[in-house]
């Protein structure tokens, strides 16, 4: 039995073993056609099934339940016999559920499957997967309906928690001040948040589907980026913290932007994708340059100070040999004028 739910970036599917449920269904169908001993065997399968079972007559009245269902709903089995099958369902869903049973007995459908909210004896609401079909006589006339009722409350809650988590993540990405760029296994842009559009000048629709390297990387750096991308794709899922990289990228107008890239690779549907948060470093780089200038120049005259002299002198002599001459015969002379 396959249940699937949409999720951001793909589909989440749950597969459940329904062998026991199918055996019980088949057992009840065959029970009317075999001798009493075989019917008793099939009855035992019905009673001992770990999946909740209920039989219903054409008036949609419960004629039998197994212990699993009685325990699941918190009732004695005898207390459920004689009730309308829709009485197990939360009031808001009863009308729709009744129509499904009517269609089943009318022969409009061979079986139906649905999710429903069931009300336990203590008032708690649980979510169940219901799969129902009919038992026909030899003439093909529906005699009874049988339904397997399986608790999927935890699965539904897990789906809801995942969907909520995905929604929170998506909302966080959308309002992030840093650009977010997702790149698929072919190197094309697969995700692009508003901050990326603001930083690089391309709208979401213009960017998605474009080769990321061609769109964002200066010509002289493209080969290096392609090599790095290939290595990440071959390596697969990156388990460590996101790697921070300082780089230069281009916007739509060709302006060079110093950036810091927080990069990670993840495996989605068996293929490696890259996720990158990209921060504009223009302000920080300008501030660094300003602080360096302030440290190496006189604030009043703007002339180089002693710190800059020491730095330049160190650079000049660092390549010289002990005989004060470089490999090319060059020398360094220092002249002091008061």
């Amino acid at each position: 039995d396959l249940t699937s739910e949409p999720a951001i970036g793909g589909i989440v599917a749950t597969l459940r073993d329904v062998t026991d449920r199918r055996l019980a269904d088949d057992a009840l169908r065959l029970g009317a056609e075999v001798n009493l001993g075989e019917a008793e065997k099939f009855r035992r399968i019905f009673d001992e099934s770990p999946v909740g079972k209920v039989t219903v007559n054409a008036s949609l009245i419960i004629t039998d339940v197994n212990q699993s269902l009685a325990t699941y709903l918190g009732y004695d089995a005898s207390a459920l016999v004689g009730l309308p099958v829709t009485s197990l369902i939360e009031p808001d869903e009863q009308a729709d559920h009744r129509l499904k049973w009517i269609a089943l007995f009318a022969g409009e459908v061979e079986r139906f499957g649905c999710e429903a909210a069931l009300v336990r004896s203590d008032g708690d609401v649980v979510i169940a997967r219901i799969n129902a079909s009919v038992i026909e006589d030899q003439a093909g006339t529906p005699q009874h309906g049988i339904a397997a009722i399986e608790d999927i409350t935890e699965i539904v809650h897990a789906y809801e928690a995942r969907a909520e988590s995905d929604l929170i993540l998506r909302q966080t990405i959308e309002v992030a001040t840093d650009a977010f760029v997702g790149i698929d296994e072919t190197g094309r842009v697969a995700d692009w948040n508003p901050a990326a559009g603001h930083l690089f000048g391309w709208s979401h629709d213009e960017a998605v589907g474009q080769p990321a390297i061609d769109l964002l990387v200066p010509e002289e750096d493209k080969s290096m980026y392609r090599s790095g991308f290939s290595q990440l794709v071959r390596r697969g899922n990156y388990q460590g913290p996101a790697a921070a990289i300082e780089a230069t990228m281009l916007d739509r107008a060709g302006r060079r932007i110093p950036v810091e890239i927080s990069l990670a690779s993840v495996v989605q549907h068996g293929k490696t994708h890259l996720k990158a948060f990209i921060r504009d470093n223009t302000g920080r780089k300008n501030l660094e340059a300003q602080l360096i200038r302030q440290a190496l120049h006189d604030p009043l005259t703007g002339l180089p100070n002693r710190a800059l002299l020491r730095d330049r002198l160190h650079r000049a002599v660092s390549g010289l040999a002990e005989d004060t001459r470089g490999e090319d015969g060059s020398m360094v002379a220092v002249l002091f004028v008061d």
Side-chain angles (χ1 to χ4, degrees):
D1 188 26
L2 174 65
T3 300
S4 63
E5 296 287 342
I8 291 178
I11 294 176
V12 178
T14 299
L15 287 82
R16 291 185 295 273
D17 183 0
V18 294
T19 304
D20 191 71
R21 188 187 75 202
R22 292 295 178 86
L23 286 174
D25 290 353
D26 293 342
L28 285 175
R29 288 193 184 88
L30 294 171
E33 304 175 10
V34 298
N35 60 42
L36 185 61
E38 289 298 317
E40 182 62 29
K41 183 188 301 182
F42 297 138
R43 176 72 206 189
R44 188 178 304 117
I45 294 175
F46 176 85
D47 289 337
E48 296 179 359
S49 171
V51 177
K53 300 286 185 179
V54 59
T55 58
V56 181
N57 64 22
S59 299
L60 308 190
I61 300 300
I62 296 173
T63 57
D64 202 359
V65 298
N66 69 353
Q67 189 57 48
S68 294
L69 180 60
T71 302
Y72 173 42
L73 296 177
Y75 290 97
D76 290 330
S78 59
L80 295 175
V81 175
L83 296 178
V85 68
T86 54
S87 66
L88 304 179
I89 310 296
E90 195 174 35
D92 291 344
E93 300 180 11
Q94 287 182 5
D96 181 62
H97 194 70
R98 177 181 175 82
L99 292 176
K100 287 181 169 60
W101 277 105
I102 291 174
L104 186 65
F105 275 100
E108 297 174 8
V109 295
E110 293 183 358
R111 61 173 58 236
F112 72 80
C114 65
E115 293 181 6
L118 308 187
V119 182
R120 288 173 41 88
S121 62
D122 57 9
D124 285 349
V125 175
V126 292
I127 309 300
R129 178 71 184 175
I130 300 176
N131 288 279
S133 58
V134 292
I135 303 171
E136 300 175 341
D137 60 19
Q138 293 182 350
T141 303
Q143 297 297 306
H144 296 278
I146 181 171
I149 301 177
E150 185 176 7
D151 183 9
I152 59 170
T153 304
E154 291 185 3
I155 295 174
V156 171
H157 288 170
Y159 283 147
E160 292 173 347
R162 180 186 176 92
E164 182 179 4
S165 176
D166 288 344
L167 178 60
I168 292 173
L169 175 60
R170 185 71 254 172
Q171 290 175 338
T172 301
I173 289 173
E174 290 298 308
V175 301
T177 56
D178 289 344
F180 177 80
V181 179
I183 304 173
D184 66 19
E185 77 283 359
T186 68
R188 296 182 179 273
V189 175
D191 205 348
W192 186 269
N193 72 347
H198 177 74
L199 178 60
F200 297 112
W202 302 93
S203 70
H204 175 275
D205 292 343
E206 290 172 326
V208 170
Q210 297 296 320
I213 292 175
D214 292 343
L215 194 70
L216 302 173
V217 177
E219 190 64 37
E220 65 272 17
D221 295 334
K222 286 181 179 178
S223 60
M224 177 184 67
Y225 273 78
R226 289 193 177 97
S227 175
F229 176 79
S230 298
Q231 291 178 18
L232 283 171
V233 170
R234 285 197 302 270
R235 184 173 61 183
N237 192 20
Y238 178 63
Q239 301 294 337
I245 305 167
E246 289 195 356
T248 299
M249 289 188 163
L250 297 178
D251 67 6
R252 184 171 191 163
R255 180 176 64 96
R256 291 174 174 264
I257 307 172
V259 297
E260 182 178 275
I261 307 171
S262 295
L263 182 68
S265 63
V266 297
V267 175
Q268 294 178 287
H269 310 298
K271 297 179 179 179
T272 300
H273 292 235
L274 300 186
K275 309 294 184 181
F277 277 99
I278 304 173
R279 175 169 298 175
D280 185 355
N281 263 358
T282 303
R284 184 167 70 84
K285 290 294 184 181
N286 289 341
L287 179 60
E288 289 177 356
Q290 180 182 354
L291 292 175
I292 291 173
R293 180 169 181 80
Q294 288 176 352
L296 300 178
H297 293 77
D298 180 79
L300 179 62
T301 65
L303 297 174
N305 61 17
R306 294 180 180 179
L308 183 57
L309 170 63
R310 284 195 296 269
D311 176 72
R312 295 296 186 267
L313 186 59
H314 174 74
R315 293 188 188 185
V317 302
S318 61
L320 299 181
E322 293 183 358
D323 62 358
T324 72
R325 290 181 179 271
E327 294 180 358
D328 59 355
S330 61
M331 300 180 64
V332 173
V334 178
L335 177 65
F336 176 76
V337 181
D338 65 13

